[in-house]
Amino acid sequence: VVLVGRSAEHLKEAEEGVNPNGKVSSVVADVTKGREAEKAIEQVMAAHGRVDVLVNCVGGGAGSALYPAEGYPESEWDRIVDLNLRSALLATQPAVRAMVSGGRGGRILNISSVRGQLGISLGYSAYVAAKGALNALTRQWATEWAKHGIAVNAISPTFAATPQVAGLLQDP
């Protein structure tokens, strides 16, 4: 298992939480940036020679970008869509190229959100749009890459109890 994230400190904590016996490694990269996503997969390939599974679980940020749909700022739209949609694209492309060239198939799992199917009345336009698009992209990739033995799925959890959504979870 190789974890990828922007913070070496958080990655170290995650490594210990996933497997305290050291069977997990990490790569520091911001997968909202194409070259960093490419380099992360290159490092995985150099260390392990293959990519079997990619879990796209980058996302969130919506609680920090709540605006009415008619006035959603373009810069915040871009930030939320990049975080929740573009990151999946940029990490998946090099991973799938490695899977195809390896000839063993693989698995892609996109962590979407129930908000990709359901709206919410609190200014989440960019987040809802990004997760809905991620669901559509999941279906497209599944269709396109099935011939290579690559299965692509998404799961759509609802809110998890984190500091970012604490206020929402308190609202009946």
Side-chain angles (χ1 to χ4, degrees):
V1 173
V2 179
L3 305 174
V4 179
R6 293 181 290 192
S7 164
E9 180 181 332
H10 290 143
L11 283 168
K12 188 66 178 160
E13 289 175 33
E15 283 181 37
E16 292 168 1
V18 171
N19 188 337
N21 298 321
K23 304 271 188 200
V24 176
S25 62
S26 61
V27 173
V28 176
D30 179 349
V31 295
T32 65
K33 297 181 170 97
R35 187 61 196 128
E36 288 195 38
E38 290 270 350
K39 287 173 81 174
I41 298 300
E42 288 170 6
Q43 289 179 11
V44 170
M45 289 297 292
H48 302 283
R50 60 199 272 183
V51 174
D52 297 313
V53 177
L54 175 70
V55 179
N56 286 310
C57 59
V58 176
S64 64
L66 300 175
Y67 303 95
E70 70 276 9
Y72 210 98
E74 185 178 350
S75 62
E76 285 296 275
W77 179 276
D78 290 346
R79 181 177 71 85
I80 296 301
V81 171
D82 282 356
L83 183 63
N84 290 281
L85 179 62
R86 182 182 172 106
S87 63
L89 170 73
L90 295 177
T92 300
Q93 287 176 323
V96 167
R97 286 193 296 268
M99 289 175 187
V100 170
S101 68
R104 291 178 307 279
R107 304 291 180 264
I108 305 294
L109 178 61
N110 294 320
I111 308 300
S112 182
S113 170
V114 69
R115 297 298 161 207
Q117 294 92 30
L118 304 170
I120 186 169
S121 63
L122 298 172
Y124 282 80
S125 291
Y127 182 79
V128 168
K131 292 304 187 177
L134 183 61
N135 294 338
L137 194 55
T138 298
R139 291 187 298 273
Q140 176 60 32
W141 286 347
T143 302
E144 197 165 328
W145 296 329
K147 66 185 174 199
H148 300 291
I150 299 170
V152 186
N153 297 101
I155 59 170
S156 297
T158 190
F159 293 122
T162 65
Q164 185 180 46
V165 298
L168 289 170
L169 293 174
Q170 291 174 341
D171 183 350

